[in-house]
Amino acid sequence: MNHKIQFIILILFCSFSLGVEAQSNDTIRHEVLLETSLGTIRLVLYNETPLHRDNFLRLVKEGYYDGILFHRVISNFMIQTGDSTTRHAKAGESVGEYSPDYTIPAEIVFPKYFHKRGALAAAREGDDVNPERASSSSQFYIVVGKNHSDADLDRVQQILDEQTGGKATLTKEIRTHYRKKGGTPHLDGQYTVFGEVLEGYDVVKKIDFVFTDDYDRPVDDVRIIKATVVK
C-alpha cells in the first residue's frame, strides 16, 4: 500500500472517529449528585435545555450549591433551593430572595417535558415583572405534587388556557401520568423543566415532609452538603 493511499485511509478513519465521538457527546446526558443532610439525590439534565444545563453544571463545578439550604418546602408541591446566602442563615430568618444578577432565557420544552413527580425545574420571577418567563440564574425546585382526578385536570386545563394563551394543552398521555403518578400540572408551559431525579426520590419526599415555618422554610435546616457533577 503506497503512502498516498495510507494517508487517505488515515483521514477517513479520523473523520469516522470524530463523528462517533461527536455523536456520543450529543447523546450523553450529564448527571449531578446532591449530597443532602437527609440523603443523596441523583439528577439527570436534559440536552434539549442547553442554556439551563450548562449554567447548572458551571454553578455545581464552582461549588455554588455546597452548604446551602432548601429554603422553601411546600408539602405535596415542591422543594426549592439555590440562594447562596442561606449558607450562613440564622434560625428563623426569612431567606430565599437571592440569586446571581442574571437570568436564563426560557427553554420550555412542553409537552415533552412536564411537571411530573421528580421533575427538576428553574424558579423565576412572576409574569407581572417577567413576561418572558426567564429563569432564575441559580434557584431551582424539584417537583413532588400529588395525583389528580380528571375533574382536577379539567380545571387545570382551564387555568393553563388562560395563563398560556392556549399553548399548553395536557395531552392524553400527560393526563394519564398525572392521574396515576402525580405532579404539578398547573405549572406546565410556564417554567423551564431541565432535568429529573434519577435516584433518591425517597430523599425528596423526606425533605418535602419536614416541618416548616410561616415562610415555608424548614424549622430544622435541610442542607445541600455538596453538589458534584458525576457524568
Side-chain angles (χ1 to χ4, degrees):
M1 186 182 293
N2 64 42
H3 293 298
K4 184 176 181 180
I5 293 175
Q6 289 178 329
F7 181 68
I8 292 173
I9 291 174
L10 178 61
I11 292 175
L12 290 173
F13 175 77
C14 290
S15 299
F16 174 76
S17 299
L18 289 172
V20 170
E21 182 180 359
Q23 184 179 12
S24 63
N25 286 339
D26 288 341
T27 56
I28 191 173
R29 283 189 166 182
H30 294 280
E31 297 176 13
V32 170
L33 203 66
L34 302 181
E35 299 173 51
T36 82
S37 52
L38 289 182
T40 300
I41 304 167
R42 191 182 189 99
L43 305 170
V44 63
L45 309 181
Y46 298 147
N47 291 329
E48 295 88 341
T49 53
L51 299 178
H52 287 72
R53 176 199 64 200
D54 292 349
N55 178 73
F56 190 65
L57 290 171
R58 179 179 61 80
L59 291 177
V60 169
K61 291 175 181 177
E62 290 175 355
Y64 177 90
Y65 294 107
D66 296 353
I68 71 174
L69 302 180
F70 282 93
H71 64 265
R72 185 170 179 242
V73 171
I74 302 177
S75 181
N76 291 319
F77 180 35
M78 58 92 224
I79 63 174
Q80 183 173 335
T81 184
D83 177 349
S84 64
T85 67
T86 64
R87 191 174 284 113
H88 306 294
K90 297 178 181 179
E93 183 180 354
S94 178
V95 293
E97 298 298 321
Y98 176 78
S99 59
D101 191 21
Y102 66 93
T103 58
I104 307 168
E107 295 179 299
I108 298 171
V109 189
F110 180 85
K112 183 174 184 179
Y113 298 127
F114 56 99
H115 283 77
K116 64 184 180 181
R117 277 184 171 149
L120 169 68
R124 65 173 178 83
E125 296 285 347
D127 289 357
D128 54 338
V129 296
N130 180 28
E132 295 181 351
R133 294 170 171 162
S135 299
S136 163
S137 55
S138 63
Q139 293 209 23
F140 66 87
Y141 59 93
I142 300 174
V143 172
V144 177
K146 62 180 183 179
N147 293 70
H148 295 266
S149 67
D150 279 321
D152 288 340
L153 295 173
D154 289 342
R155 287 190 290 270
V156 168
Q157 187 61 69
Q158 291 177 353
I159 295 171
L160 291 181
D161 288 343
E162 295 175 3
Q163 294 179 336
T164 69
K167 294 180 180 179
T169 299
L170 301 176
T171 65
K172 180 180 179 181
E173 293 76 15
I174 290 175
R175 288 176 67 101
T176 298
H177 191 104
Y178 282 136
R179 284 200 313 271
K180 294 183 176 181
K181 298 184 179 180
T184 58
H186 68 280
L187 301 180
D188 282 340
Q190 302 163 82
Y191 292 77
T192 297
V193 176
F194 66 98
E196 64 183 88
V197 174
L198 273 184
E199 299 172 2
Y201 183 70
D202 59 323
V203 177
V204 175
K205 289 193 294 183
K206 283 182 186 177
I207 298 171
D208 189 56
F209 292 148
V210 300
F211 290 108
T212 56
D213 62 19
D214 292 339
Y215 300 101
D216 298 318
R217 175 181 169 179
V219 173
D220 296 322
D221 288 344
V222 181
R223 195 175 299 277
I224 297 175
I225 298 169
K226 187 171 182 58
T228 310
V229 177
V230 292
K231 182 177 179 182

